[in-house]
Amino acid sequence: MTLALVSAPAPAASPALAAPAPERTLSAFYHALHQRLGPQHWWPAETPFEVIVGAILTQSTAWTNVERAIANLRNASLLQPAALSRVRLSRLERLVRPSGYYRQKARKLKAFVRFLEREYGGSLERMFREPTDALRARLLAIHGIGPETADSILLYAGNHPIFVMDAYTRRILSRHGLTHPDVEYHEAQAIFHRELPREARLFTEYHALLVETGKRWCLKSKAQCGECPLGRFLEPKQ
Ligand code: SF4
């Protein structure tokens, strides 16, 4: 991708004197976003289990659809591991239907609660006492849980300091020349782990700010850099 929307072209007569872009560090990005957007207070959920359910249901769909599915589960008193474990699969499929791919997602939810019961007696508290890397490996072994879902569960439900990579974040990094557009999940994640303090609160806030940036300005079809708080970190055009 070319950065065709860089705010202002460098003066033709004196390119050597063009002001350099401010330092493109992840800390500088964070402060610029936080200053403009303020605290985000993510994830939108009432309990850690609801975060987990949301992280599974949000795969390949918009959050508004997830909200409808979660409302169905709440009205049916199923937002607890034991209740979700007992409910018939066909009923669960009907309830999560608004989130799309409902058959697969109902099975994924069942797979998660079976894992929780088998390995931790149904206790999220016990599960989250595991060391981050060990629990991550176990989550990834569950049917239907990939890196982004596992990391969302670890960070937002369990307060484990691990950065969640998503399409918005990878797009922003690559448009700023910090990664290749096809960068691997773990490679992009490693940049955040290397450059920032490993703090869950910072990671939740930062990820939420990047998602908001992706929705407001860094659209897939068009980057609106002139209005974006990260516009000043783009290299001036030569
Ligand atoms: S994050 Fe903002 S400044 Fe950077 S490419 Fe996207 S829209 Fe442009």
Side-chain angles (χ1 to χ4, degrees):
M1 156 149 321
T2 48
L3 295 174
L5 294 170
V6 172
S7 48
S14 55
L17 297 178
E23 207 184 350
R24 292 178 303 161
T25 63
L26 292 182
S27 303
F29 282 19
Y30 175 79
H31 288 297
L33 292 175
H34 195 265
Q35 199 171 32
R36 174 77 76 88
L37 294 167
Q40 300 297 296
H41 304 300
W42 259 31
W43 177 293
E46 290 178 10
T47 64
F49 187 64
E50 190 178 320
V51 172
I52 294 168
V53 170
I56 292 170
L57 295 182
T58 199
Q59 295 171 355
S60 314
T61 196
W63 184 253
T64 45
N65 300 327
V66 177
E67 283 176 329
R68 288 164 55 214
I70 285 183
N72 289 346
L73 294 174
R74 181 176 291 111
N75 292 337
S77 303
L78 290 177
L79 280 178
Q80 297 149 23
L84 205 63
S85 170
R86 281 194 303 268
V87 70
R88 277 203 324 277
L89 183 63
S90 55
R91 180 162 181 233
L92 184 57
E93 286 175 353
R94 277 200 305 280
L95 292 168
V96 301
R97 193 174 184 137
S99 68
Y101 302 100
Y102 61 96
R103 290 209 168 92
Q104 294 171 28
K105 289 182 180 176
R107 279 171 178 72
K108 291 176 186 180
L109 290 173
K110 283 285 193 186
F112 175 77
V113 288
R114 266 200 309 273
F115 162 80
L116 186 66
E117 269 180 1
R118 190 180 63 238
E119 303 295 329
Y120 303 99
S123 166
L124 285 178
E125 212 180 309
R126 275 182 59 198
M127 183 183 90
F128 283 127
R129 277 205 291 265
E130 290 262 30
T132 306
D133 289 346
L135 180 54
R136 186 174 195 270
R138 302 191 83 181
L139 290 172
L140 287 171
I142 301 171
H143 165 72
I145 295 195
E148 188 179 333
T149 308
D151 292 341
S152 298
I153 291 171
L154 284 163
L155 178 65
Y156 287 105
N159 234 11
H160 282 254
I162 191 154
F163 207 91
V164 177
M165 297 306 302
D166 57 15
Y168 295 120
T169 304
R170 280 189 271 184
R171 183 154 72 232
I172 292 166
L173 290 182
S174 79
R175 282 178 171 171
H176 283 265
L178 297 175
T179 62
H180 189 271
D182 301 323
V183 67
E184 293 285 330
Y185 184 99
H186 295 100
E187 270 178 71
Q189 185 182 54
I191 298 174
F192 286 85
H193 289 176
R194 210 168 40 236
E195 291 196 15
L196 298 172
R198 288 289 287 258
E199 289 171 13
R201 260 189 80 192
L202 170 66
F203 285 1
T204 57
E205 202 54 32
Y206 203 158
H207 175 238
L209 287 166
L210 290 168
V211 170
E212 194 57 29
T213 302
K215 286 181 182 169
R216 286 197 196 195
W217 302 294
C218 204
L219 312 180
K220 191 173 182 182
S221 54
K222 187 176 182 206
Q224 298 177 341
C225 305
E227 295 150 40
C228 177
L230 300 187
R232 64 194 165 96
F233 296 100
L234 293 166
E235 290 293 345
K237 263 169 99 178
Q238 297 301 308

